[in-house]
Amino acid sequence: MGFKRWWLVMVIFLGVGIVTPILGQSDLVFMGNDLSMTEMNTALMKDVFKARYALWPNGKSITVCLPGSKSVHAEKVAQEIYGKSIKDVQKFWLSVVFQGKAKSPYFFDSEKEMSDFIAKTPGAIGVITKSGGFTAPKSQLIKINP
Amino acid sequence: MRFRPTIFVQIWLPFTFMIVLVLGVLAFYYPQRQRQVLSGFKKEELAQSAKMVALGVQLSIDSDDFPGLQKTMSTIRESQRLDYISMVVSDSISGDAIFETFPSDFKLQLNAIDSIQYLNVKAPFSSSIFKGYIIMGIEQSKVFKNIDALNRPMMVFLLFIAVLTMLVVYLIADKITSPISWVQNFANQLQKGDYSTDDRLEARAVELVSLNDSLQDLAKTLQQQRKDNQLLTTGLEEKIKERTVELDRALIDLNDAQKISHLGSFEYYMYLDHWNGSDNLFQILGIDKENYVRTYASFLSLLHPEDRESIHQSFEQGRLTGQELNFECRLTRPSDDKEIWVNCRAKYFSDKEGRSSKMSGVIQDISERKQVEEELNILSLVAKKTSNAVIITNLHKEIQWVNESVLEITGYSREEIIGNTPKMFQFEKTDPGEIARINNAIQNRQPVWAELINRSKSGHEYWLSINIVPLKDEKGVLKGFMAVETDISERKKLEAQREEYVKLLEQSKQEIEKINEELEEKVREKTKNIEHLALFPEQNPNPVVELNFDLRELSYSNPAARTILPQFLELNFDAQLLSLNVTSLDNVLAANKSEFIIGELIFEVNLFLLEDKNILRAYLHNITQRKQQESQLAALVAQLQSAETELLEKKSELEKSLQELTLAQSEIISKERLSTLGMLIAGIAHEINTPLGAIKASGENLKYLFTEGVMKLIGDMNPEALNLSIQLYEKSSMHSLSTSEERLRTQELTQDMEGMDFPLRYKQKMARMLVQMGIFRMDEQLKEWMHHPFAESIFQLGLNFVLILRSIVTTTASSDQGGKVVKALNSFAHGNVGSEFTTFDLKESIDTVITILWNKIKQGSRVINAIPEDIQCFALADELSQVWTNLMNNALQASGNKCLITFEYADDGVNHIITVGNDGPPIPSEIIEKIFEPFFTTKARGEGTGLGLNIVRKIIEKHKGTIICQSEDSLTKFIVSLPKSN
């Protein structure tokens, strides 16, 4: 085995080794309604949740849905999407809403309520956990880095 | 409507002002109140909004209700015209954080919200997670924008009210004050003397009508009084006329008095710049009263140019201080161009404000007095300065005044002479006959001349030629006597010599006369014999010959002729006649008594014509011996005359020699001083060279520091660093340390820098620079400067500034030292022949000498100048300097420049006593008597001239002082006594 080939194999091996645990271990499930897309990459997902965009490509207004701050999953979601504590996420959204920079998010105490709201609200995007026990309708599922 | 200023000012104007002021206050207060109300309302509204937002924030955090907050914010933004709204959130970790809403560029300063520009409200909120508050504000100008527009009608209304009030008040004031004004005018008329009554006053007010009636009565009373006054006035006028006549008479008398005393009066009005004067003043000044422009400048122009400035200054000073003027000056009369002296006395008078407004005074022509004074001055000067002694006595022969020459001749002081009689100068040799003659003349009030011998205080005898004249005043009253005395001692001496010669001459003459008489006697005896023998020529022992004119031959010769004159007898007739000096018969008598010389014999010829006149008999008398004696006498007289001439020449030579001797003595003193200076010059040169060297070194140092140490460093530094260098320089001091002290201080300062993160070598370098600058303590500022990027340059530049200052100080001090030496040298060497007596500071004079000798003194000697300050000495300063120099130089030379020299002072009332002591080797008792003798020296050949102490004594004696020397054990003292009086 030549050196180049061996090097390529090692890079692929290491890449797979690093990426697989992140994606594989993620407990988050993303839901959406009339987003004009059913899949997106992680970066876009994070930008959407950080209110960096206001509209979807189809012109619908983006509505962010998150687990309530008192929810057991809230901390996990905050860490994975925002890289912050839930307290800081609240502070972030307080700032955004107060300054009128983006539409206010919606917090839900149950995943079912969130799913129902998404179903009724075009342009809404939400996140739940697999471990929460709720199964999201297939029509609402959004794939991240498929 | 009449305008009345008084009423306008006193009633209408103040009242109107008051109303306008009230309205103005209302106009200000009302909008202000409106603003307050509106502000309160708006603030309440804002507070509600802020509370709502705060509640929204609280809910959004506690209940995750962000849409509610969004709605609230939208509502607030839409409904309120806010200039800003902000949210401040605080937690324990991040502290306060501000979330701005709008405008995005509004920068909220929490500690300085501008409450003047903005109306601000604040509403707190507190959630389970955060605490904070909402703060919002609106610009006050927006809130109050419409208030001014709302108030404009109100302002117009107030203005209308103000104008209306002013008019009403004016009309009322006019109505009230018109009758008062009329009464006032009526009273003014009365005051001015117009007593005509007037009933025009309308019955507007009872009080005023009553007042009017009173004034009418008053007018009538005054009319009556005026008539009475006119009667009185007529009497007074007559009295005034009488007084005026008396005054005019007094004025004429005054003018006459002024003319007699050459006096003129004047008055000067300063504001008008005009002066007026009496008629006599114009005569004195020689100006035309009518045509002369009488100003201050014109008066000054009359003054002598030399007096003009000083008189002007006196006038100015008097004008400012009110001081009375009294001065004398010269002025030129324009009428005859004659210069006269005047005395001016004047006094200033002030106006109500205290400024000088008028000057009155008198000017007196004092030319005659001045002339007399000048003559007196000249006479006084003549009396003082004449070489003749002048003595003035009173009627009791007591001396009242003497001039300097009297003091010089007699040796007495003025105090001893004044009040005494001239008898004090007389002694046993004084001729009593002459004294009696003088006394007799004085008693008869007659001038007298005499020659007297007197004796001075020191016992010296001198001859005087005295001319005494009685002194009478202008009225001829005898006031005393004046004696003008001339020292004729020299003349008397010469006269004595001449008398001695005359006596000798007289003796010689007497001897000659005696010889002559003897000879005459002999001649007489011989003549008798001749007369006897004439009849018997044959028996005459002298030659006798007879010549016959008819026969033209020698007819007879006696035996003596034949024996003595054989050559004569052999001559022919004509030759014989010629030998007897006879050319013809007519000149026989003329030839009589002539001399007949033959060989060494001289004969006197006596010729007689016998009976028939044809025979000439000649008797020849041998006078050879007498002729020889006469020749000897003539030679003796010539010798005497020659001796007298020689005597006069010798006297003249002696006087010349005396003058040359005096000059030579001064030159010797001067040369001795220069000789001393020559010996000291090497040391003095060293004293001058030392500061010169220091100046040169400082100059080079300055050049280096300026070019290398300052200009280069400044070029590399920024202004801030340069400023720090200057501040560092200002901290410096002028302490100068030894090398060991500097090292020690550097170590201490380096220790002070402990804890500073610098290499040890760097710290030592900085500490050394600080110590060299005279900074011995580290303070916080210095520590801070050491961290500066240019620290090293800052410290080096500061040090260079200090070094430059030190170089300048060194240069100045060295210049002063050099200047001091040169000044002393100049003062010492300046003395020359013919210097004059002056008053000088004794201590300063000795200090100069110490400076000259300093090079020798500093080799191991010490000098204490204990002469008190301000002792003024009247003497020949330069020659006294030589005294101190010689005394100090002797002490230094004798002790090998290692001794203590002291100058002490005492005052016995008459003399300055200066004691110059030294603890050098004592002077042996056997030579102490000789030290003042010329050319006596104990020094090695070439070290001294032997004239030093001799010159010292001569200089002291020249001052009529004394010097003595005492030398005991290890203390030698020279005690110099100098008279204090001039």
Side-chain angles (χ1 to χ4, degrees), chain A residues 67-70 87-91 93-95 97-100 102-107 109, chain B residues 53 57 60-62 64 66-67 69-70 73 77 85-87 91 94 99-101 129-130 134:
Chain A
S69 59
K70 295 177 184 68
K87 192 176 165 185
D88 287 335
V89 171
Q90 278 185 304
K91 205 171 175 181
W93 278 111
L94 183 61
S95 169
V97 172
F98 191 85
Q99 293 176 69
K103 196 175 174 185
S104 67
Y106 287 83
F107 289 86
D109 291 336
Chain B
V53 174
V57 169
S60 64
I61 296 166
D62 285 347
D64 292 337
F66 285 88
L69 177 63
Q70 189 172 21
M73 291 304 297
R77 278 197 288 270
I85 175 165
S86 296
M87 178 172 66
D91 60 29
S94 59
F99 301 120
E100 294 171 313
T101 53
I129 303 169
F130 306 119
I134 301 297

Side-chain angles (χ1 to χ4, degrees), chain B residues 753-768:
Chain B
M753 294 177 190
E754 203 169 3
M756 296 178 78
D757 190 19
F758 293 117
L760 180 62
R761 188 162 288 182
Y762 178 76
K763 284 197 268 188
Q764 284 174 339
K765 186 179 178 183
M766 300 299 259
R768 195 178 304 113

Side-chain angles (χ1 to χ4, degrees), chain B residues 842 846 866-868 871-873 884 902-916 956 961-964 966 973-980:
Chain B
L842 185 62
I846 291 170
I867 305 290
I871 297 293
Q872 298 297 315
C873 198
W884 315 133
T902 55
F903 283 87
E904 291 167 350
Y905 178 80
D907 181 355
D908 66 357
V910 182
N911 299 301
H912 299 290
I913 312 290
I914 302 117
T915 305
V916 186
I956 299 299
T962 58
I963 180 167
I964 55 171
Q966 294 172 354
K973 283 183 182 176
F974 285 88
I975 301 163
V976 176
S977 172
L978 291 170
K980 288 167 79 176

Side-chain angles (χ1 to χ4, degrees), chain A residues 40-60:
Chain A
M40 61 181 75
N41 61 21
T42 309
L44 178 63
M45 177 270 291
K46 284 186 179 180
D47 284 346
V48 168
F49 275 88
K50 287 178 182 174
R52 286 177 185 153
Y53 298 103
L55 299 171
W56 294 107
N58 58 8
K60 300 287 182 191

